[in-house]
Amino acid sequence: MAQTSRAKPEKMARLDADAWMAAAFDALAQGGIDAVRVEPLAKALDITKGSFYWHFADRRALLEAMLGAWTEGRIAAIREQAMTRGAPEMVLGDLADLYTRHANLRGLTIELAIRSLARTDDAAARAVRRVDRERLRHVGALFGALGWPAAQAQERAILFYSYLFGQSLLDPKAVPAAARDEAIRALIAAP
Amino acid sequence: MAQTSRAKPEKMARLDADAWMAAAFDALAQGGIDAVRVEPLAKALDITKGSFYWHFADRRALLEAMLGAWTEGRIAAIREQAMTRGAPEMVLGDLADLYTRHANLRGLTIELAIRSLARTDDAAARAVRRVDRERLRHVGALFGALGWPAAQAQERAILFYSYLFGQSLLDPKAVPAAARDEAIRALIAAP
DNA sequence: ACCTGAACACCGTTCAAGT
DNA sequence: ACCTGAACACCGTTCAAGT
């Protein structure tokens, strides 16, 4: 995926669009959307900012390329998940871990920054819509496999993602691990 | 509260810090944190940007004043809520409405922008922490009054806010009103 | 095919001077 | 007590010229 972490690159004579995107995702994860700016990125890549405009029309085009890469990465990830043939409780538990364990802090931060953007930016809103549709369909199917009738399975899928995102918006100190695990256990429980 | 909506002010000879803050909250609600910038605000207020620096040391000071105003406003609101002597189900239902009905779209957007900032900004993280502590205490007490033992009442309070915030991060089209109402009903149900 | 360097516009910041 | 206007630095954007 495009937002894989990487060490600050040593000076390279030539870059491609992916190198700019990787640096941009780094900046997004570390400083929010406000940190995704051409000149700071050029400085981080040790190249002139003028060269940015060979790869992208402007800052807006970079943002849209990032949204595209993020959308495709998330959809590919959920489809891969859908392939795994584990017990639905296990798959759901793994998904919950993705949003609550530290291992994916970077991915979570990027996702929340994009969802925040989506409140005022149409392209970001479209990206979120596509990802949500795919995820809710997949997770809804998992709850169906757990034994919930279709309508409740969809409600549970919404509840599941709502809880995971919402929890990550609260002050971490306000959410004891035990309360979080108990909530997830209850969400995943078979009917 | 500082973030009350107001019509674009006609040209006034003199402004105070509150006028700048009001314009800043307008910008925050409409364009996100990236839109809270000195020169655009000056343009909206029809005044020179130089005058901004009479009221605030710099853009950062404006952001921190906004965080302070937001924190105080939210804490005052929750304390006022705590005074109302209605049935806990009713009070919780009203709170849920605040985060899901359109009437408070502006307040919700501002809150989500601040929570997004809090992921990369310490002052914003502190503001969120103070507000969360106050709200979770209040809502935890309401669940206690509903009949939940203290530990579960706290878990429910966390679940309650997590769901409300999380739901507002999903694509609105993905969350049918019926699913949302059903989830809130289940959250508020007595044990 | 990709980058540099210089130019210009825009916005954050400072400050002396105005009222 | 609050604002203007000019100055300067920083960053987005353009583009002719380099490799």
Side-chain angles (χ1 to χ4, degrees), chain B residues 41-61:
Chain B
L41 291 180
K43 227 165 255 168
L45 290 168
D46 195 15
I47 204 165
T48 62
K49 59 186 171 165
S51 70
F52 171 84
Y53 292 91
W54 174 260
H55 301 287
F56 300 95
D58 51 22
R59 177 177 183 255
R60 180 73 208 164

Side-chain angles (χ1 to χ4, degrees), chain B residues 92 95 134-144 153 157 160-161:
Chain B
L92 288 169
L95 279 174
E134 204 74 31
R135 283 184 182 165
L136 288 171
R137 182 182 313 153
H138 172 51
V139 168
L142 287 171
F143 279 111
F160 180 80
Y161 274 112

